[in-house]
Amino acid sequence: MATIYDVSVMAGVSLATVSRVMNDNTKVSDKTKQKVLDAMAALGYRPNTIAQSLASNRSNSVGVLVSQLDGPFYGPMMTEIEMALRSANKHVIIAAGHSDEKQEKDGVEFLMSRGCDALILDVEAVSDEYLIELSKATTPIVFINRYIDAIKDRCVYLENEQGGFIATEHILSLGHKQLAYISGPLFKLDVRDRLKGHKRALQQYNIPFDEALCYEGDFRESGGSTAMEHLLSLNKPITAVVCANDQMASGAIAVCLEHGLRVPEDISFIGYDNIPFPQYISPKLSTVSNPIHEMGKMAARWVLQQVYNDQEVLIERTFQPELFIRTSTAPID
Amino acid sequence: MATIYDVSVMAGVSLATVSRVMNDNTKVSDKTKQKVLDAMAALGYRPNTIAQSLASNRSNSVGVLVSQLDGPFYGPMMTEIEMALRSANKHVIIAAGHSDEKQEKDGVEFLMSRGCDALILDVEAVSDEYLIELSKATTPIVFINRYIDAIKDRCVYLENEQGGFIATEHILSLGHKQLAYISGPLFKLDVRDRLKGHKRALQQYNIPFDEALCYEGDFRESGGSTAMEHLLSLNKPITAVVCANDQMASGAIAVCLEHGLRVPEDISFIGYDNIPFPQYISPKLSTVSNPIHEMGKMAARWVLQQVYNDQEVLIERTFQPELFIRTSTAPID
DNA sequence: CTGTTAGCGCCTTCAG
DNA sequence: CTGAAGGCGCTAACAG
């Protein structure tokens, strides 16, 4: 592999000059520049990024820590992050936290010791205090899907309370009065916010919140099924169920269909996240959008701007959920 | 940030000794080792991986190139790769190829120039020749989901022809004689193999393959819907449809349900890949497994063994698809 | 505008 | 078993 030295010899210039044309941050005369370029081409020269990093104290890599790499949720986010960063010739190093405090901390440690120039974190298990502490370190960090007041300018997040509100409000506006709620794991902030929005909508319509009809699920399809079986076993009248995410809604709907209930004629369902799959099954799931890919893109842009001094990019930090009405919700008869 | 030099001073030993205890590849007396360890702890020392890489000519990073980061397919694969590699303290750098030849080649270039110790590639658009050429480079490369005879010891793949066969065989064994086939994009090798298996099963049952009832879809839910609309518009009798993946099967089923057809009473469906979602909708999709996560794990192990000299790991290079019978297939009446 | 000269933090012979 | 010394390939002052 040719080195910068080989190039300098061939072009008849110094190492520094070669370095300059590579980074084109200093003026180099056109003729010498051309000589260097020719030599590089002739040698098939490719800079050694490791050496560049060591010398410049910059790795050109950004670490991304997500809860999980699978599922319908993080893929789109990673896609946007990778695209935004790669086009700036930065690379992304990934790690998974699995919603576990120790693994999340390990992941952060791992990425930091890898000399990342910046970190994009989507973490759920670690405390606000830990993150506030982290954000004081020299490595710039941006948080996706989390709002912490003390460091809010580093948070890219969705207005989950509002999302919870509009989902339930849609159901209520259809005339439903007997609602069940399938929640996600309550240790997650976004889950609590969605529930909060649900309750606010209920209140606004003067409908009492029935604790017995609120089930804490696990955000997975199977959890939605379990939840629905439980709710059905209660033998209470339910005309609509609000789910904290689409996956659980899908699992719950499947159970209802198996029990011979018609959706939405007998019972309406609304989800949350607007993931692709439930748009294509029957009935098509009404839901609330969660523009996770947009949030990923914004986080990447934040890094580009803060760390790599890209002034071009526009940054949006808060996102509004939107209602998507499909065929799983219907007016009460 | 403390360096190896600080540690050596504090421990009263040389740089070399500190390096040795870090890499413990040379014998160091227990007492000096302990002194060094203590110094490292006291200083909160963390090795600079960039410098390590430059000096050792090894980056401890492996590049992973997949078609896409989203979708139900690559997430599980990435999960396994990340887990396997991180536990060996290697990091994974990702890039997406988007099934486009140029982007795939760019991605490979990108990862190589990043000094990856090895590459794991899941590529579809580039030619066999290109990959054979690549595999001659010094950077070791393993291929997932692709079989190329000349470099078969670097290929981790699923027996797709066999998978296509057993899917259709299941349908035929149920007595169906009027089958449609919704294929994936035929430029993909695995897609052609699945179709080949389908035809072999047909032949074995003496059922002619009807070109008109074979539709080339795009592997997405929406593509499955489009395909089904088309097939229905033909007004030919169809009692079962074999789909090249689960996503298209789901989209196709949704269309049938909307047309008032009952699944599986009026029409049976079988998918391919065994992704999580369609297991939780109604009817539950019968399918053929595609152990993509296992293949990811194996690819990571291959790297661990070939590149990082881990002798412990066992490697399996070919995977067999398995039939999963659920409720979307039924015997012909 | 260009060349010289130190390092960046660590690994790895080579002696001892 | 341990220390000394020379890079790895490149960047970044500092001169000129």
Side-chain angles (χ1 to χ4, degrees), chain A residues 36-91:
Chain A
V36 172
L37 258 17
D38 291 346
M40 296 201 305
L43 291 166
Y45 170 75
R46 308 212 125 286
N48 178 322
T49 57
I50 304 284
Q52 287 179 315
S53 298
L54 184 59
S56 65
N57 194 31
R58 184 170 265 201
S59 67
N60 287 312
S61 69
V62 354
V64 179
L65 177 62
V66 295
S67 299
Q68 37 178 4
L69 267 0
D70 51 357
F73 210 67
Y74 293 102
M77 189 177 105
M78 296 297 307
T79 300
E80 294 291 344
I81 293 177
E82 195 265 345
M83 282 173 55
L85 258 20
R86 178 134 77 102
S87 70
N89 218 33
K90 310 302 172 197
H91 63 209

Side-chain angles (χ1 to χ4, degrees), chain B residues 41-294:
Chain B
L43 292 167
Y45 171 74
R46 311 210 122 288
N48 178 322
T49 58
I50 304 283
Q52 286 179 316
S53 298
L54 184 60
S56 64
N57 195 30
R58 184 168 265 200
S59 68
N60 287 313
S61 69
V62 353
V64 180
L65 177 63
V66 295
S67 299
Q68 39 178 2
L69 267 1
D70 51 357
F73 210 67
Y74 293 101
M77 190 177 103
M78 295 297 308
T79 300
E80 294 291 344
I81 293 177
E82 194 264 346
M83 281 175 54
L85 257 21
R86 178 134 77 102
S87 70
N89 218 34
K90 310 302 173 197
H91 64 208
V92 4
I93 300 180
I94 59 167
H98 303 288
S99 301
D100 173 80
E101 181 172 0
K102 179 165 181 343
Q103 290 191 67
E104 287 184 352
K105 287 185 175 177
D106 279 358
V108 171
E109 263 299 319
F110 177 79
L111 295 173
M112 287 213 161
S113 84
R114 237 58 211 194
C116 293
D117 295 335
L119 260 41
I120 297 177
L121 305 185
D122 186 324
V123 289
E124 320 181 294
V126 293
S127 67
D128 284 3
E129 291 66 41
Y130 171 76
L131 295 178
I132 293 172
E133 210 49 50
L134 258 191
S135 67
K136 290 177 186 157
T138 52
T139 308
I141 307 185
V142 56
F143 304 96
I144 291 190
N145 229 345
R146 182 140 182 172
Y147 176 79
I148 301 174
D149 202 61
I151 46 176
K152 61 178 166 212
D153 45 319
R154 293 150 167 274
C155 297
V156 174
Y157 60 96
L158 177 71
E159 299 278 12
N160 275 298
E161 198 271 351
Q162 176 63 11
F165 178 81
I166 61 177
T168 299
E169 216 247 343
H170 167 60
I171 292 291
L172 295 171
S173 74
L174 257 22
H176 293 275
K177 292 187 169 42
Q178 272 126 357
L179 317 201
Y181 189 83
I182 301 181
S183 170
L186 288 165
F187 76 87
K188 304 192 188 198
L189 178 63
D190 52 354
V191 168
R192 291 197 301 275
D193 282 344
R194 291 174 191 188
L195 180 53
K196 217 178 283 178
H198 170 70
K199 289 179 177 171
R200 178 159 65 88
L202 246 28
Q203 202 159 34
Q204 189 163 314
Y205 277 72
N206 277 313
I207 311 255
F209 172 72
D210 185 349
E211 194 72 55
L213 291 181
C214 179
Y215 189 94
E216 180 174 352
D218 60 4
F219 263 173
R220 299 190 299 185
E221 291 88 352
S222 55
S225 298
T226 310
M228 198 65 230
E229 294 283 8
H230 169 75
L231 292 171
L232 255 20
S233 75
L234 262 29
N235 273 320
K236 290 197 177 191
I238 299 172
T239 67
V241 7
V242 179
C243 302
N245 81 351
D246 290 351
Q247 285 165 279
M248 293 193 300
S250 305
I253 290 176
V255 165
C256 284
L257 296 177
E258 277 164 23
H259 280 257
L261 290 167
R262 293 165 306 158
V263 179
E265 292 82 354
D266 298 325
I267 185 166
S268 283
F269 277 88
I270 187 160
Y272 200 118
D273 284 347
N274 196 28
I275 61 175
F277 209 101
Q279 303 173 25
Y280 297 102
I281 59 174
S282 182
K284 300 187 197 311
L285 186 63
S286 294
T287 192
V288 163
S289 65
N290 183 354
I292 185 72
H293 53 286
E294 287 294 328

